[in-house]
Amino acid sequence: MTEKRVILEMGTGNDLYGEDYTKAACRAVQDALHHSSILLFRSLDIDHRDMRVQVTIGVQEPGKVNTDLVADTLPRGYAEVKAVKGGLNVHDPEQGTTHVIATAAVEAFVPLAEGAWILTGHPLG
């Protein structure tokens, strides 16, 4: 069995007033998930519990993201979450606040037997 990436979704999220990096990260993941309708699991009889979900969160202060809480927001599969330098902070000097903007890449991998999917009758296959 080899593992193949079958899904890649991106999302953005923010926390405008609390400077909460975890909240912004969770919102970015939810934004990415709302772009997906994962029909292939039922269509191909793949158990979604076998899916590994790899999440990369980009924020200006990665150490302030509780990756366990972000992982808990994922409805399927088993999650691996890491926070990296990215995203954006927008400081409002008039109000003395910083608006935190996070980006998320959500990738899903499933175990597949070698040669399980073959394109036929297609110019690339």
Side-chain angles (χ1 to χ4, degrees):
M1 289 280 206
T2 60
E3 193 178 64
K4 299 286 184 179
R5 183 175 69 178
V6 295
I7 298 167
L8 170 61
E9 290 291 348
M10 283 74 58
T12 60
N14 61 67
D15 185 32
L16 296 179
Y17 301 105
E19 296 181 41
D20 187 327
Y21 287 83
T22 300
K23 183 184 287 187
C26 289
R27 288 175 174 171
V29 168
Q30 290 305 306
D31 181 51
L33 294 178
H34 285 101
H35 296 236
S36 292
S37 179
I38 308 172
L39 303 174
L40 73 105
F41 294 99
R42 186 175 297 153
S43 299
L44 299 175
D45 197 30
I46 298 172
D47 188 336
H48 66 82
R49 290 174 291 208
D50 294 334
M51 174 178 60
R52 179 173 64 88
V53 181
Q54 182 175 304
V55 178
T56 305
I57 300 293
V59 290
Q60 286 293 295
E61 296 189 46
K64 291 186 176 180
V65 175
N66 182 329
T67 55
D68 291 334
L69 284 178
V70 175
D72 288 344
T73 68
L74 294 160
R76 304 273 189 272
Y78 57 97
E80 300 170 351
V81 178
K82 68 178 177 180
V84 299
K85 180 87 168 156
L88 181 67
N89 282 355
V90 179
H91 186 68
D92 180 349
E94 189 172 303
Q95 299 298 317
T97 59
T98 298
H99 309 298
V100 175
I101 303 170
T103 57
V106 180
E107 301 172 86
F109 298 82
V110 295
L112 294 173
E114 197 63 43
W117 291 356
I118 300 171
L119 291 175
T120 58
H122 189 279
L124 298 177

